[in-house]
């Protein structure tokens, strides 16, 4: 799980080349834990969001496209789910939800 969080934090930081805030929240809700990672980065357009996690797809010039694929697999193996919301030039929110 730590690898997943580290990868998502790294992605958030890299999405803010001019700096910005990165926020992490974790809380219990209805028998689940929700972890949110929120950046003030460049954002991701809806077409790109649908492609995230596919092998070798990356929005970064130096990305391999494998980091998020592995993260999504780990989340699913832990019976979790994830949600991504983003606005271009405003930032991205990545949420993971796991049963307690």
């Amino acid at each position: 799980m730590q690898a997943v969080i580290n990868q998502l934090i790294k992605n958030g930081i890299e999405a803010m080349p001019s700096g910005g805030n990165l926020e992490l929240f974790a809380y219990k809700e209805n028998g689940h834990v929700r972890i949110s990672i929120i950046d003030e980065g460049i954002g991701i357009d809806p077409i790109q969001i649908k492609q995230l996690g596919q092998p070798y797809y990356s929005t970064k010039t130096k990305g391999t496209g494998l980091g998020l694929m592995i993260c999504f697999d780990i989340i699913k193996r832990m019976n979790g789910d994830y949600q991504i919301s983003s606005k271009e030039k405003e930032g991205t929110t990545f949420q993971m939800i796991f049963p307690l």
Side-chain angles (χ1 to χ4, degrees):
M1 187 62 198
Q2 190 65 45
V4 171
I5 293 172
N6 287 349
Q7 177 68 44
L8 297 174
I9 290 171
K10 180 178 172 278
N11 285 353
I13 292 168
E14 290 174 354
M16 300 184 295
S18 301
N21 293 311
L22 182 76
E23 298 178 314
L24 293 121
F25 298 96
Y27 52 93
K28 292 193 307 187
E29 116 186 317
N30 301 325
H32 291 80
V33 64
R34 181 179 297 264
I35 301 169
S36 300
I37 301 171
I38 305 165
D39 69 54
E40 296 178 337
I42 58 175
I44 309 168
D45 75 52
I47 294 170
Q48 290 176 315
I49 288 176
K50 290 180 183 179
Q51 295 176 315
L52 292 177
Q54 293 181 13
Y56 307 109
Y57 176 78
S58 179
T59 60
K60 298 184 266 185
T61 56
K62 294 185 179 182
T64 64
L66 297 175
L68 282 180
M69 181 188 77
I70 292 167
C71 288
F72 293 170
D73 183 59
I74 291 169
I75 292 167
K76 292 294 182 187
R77 288 175 188 254
M78 295 178 68
N79 297 315
D81 200 4
Y82 60 88
Q83 299 168 346
I84 305 168
S85 59
S86 187
K87 291 185 180 177
E88 290 185 78
K89 300 178 184 163
E90 291 185 27
T92 301
T93 299
F94 191 98
Q95 295 186 57
M96 296 173 282
I97 303 99
F98 298 97
L100 287 174

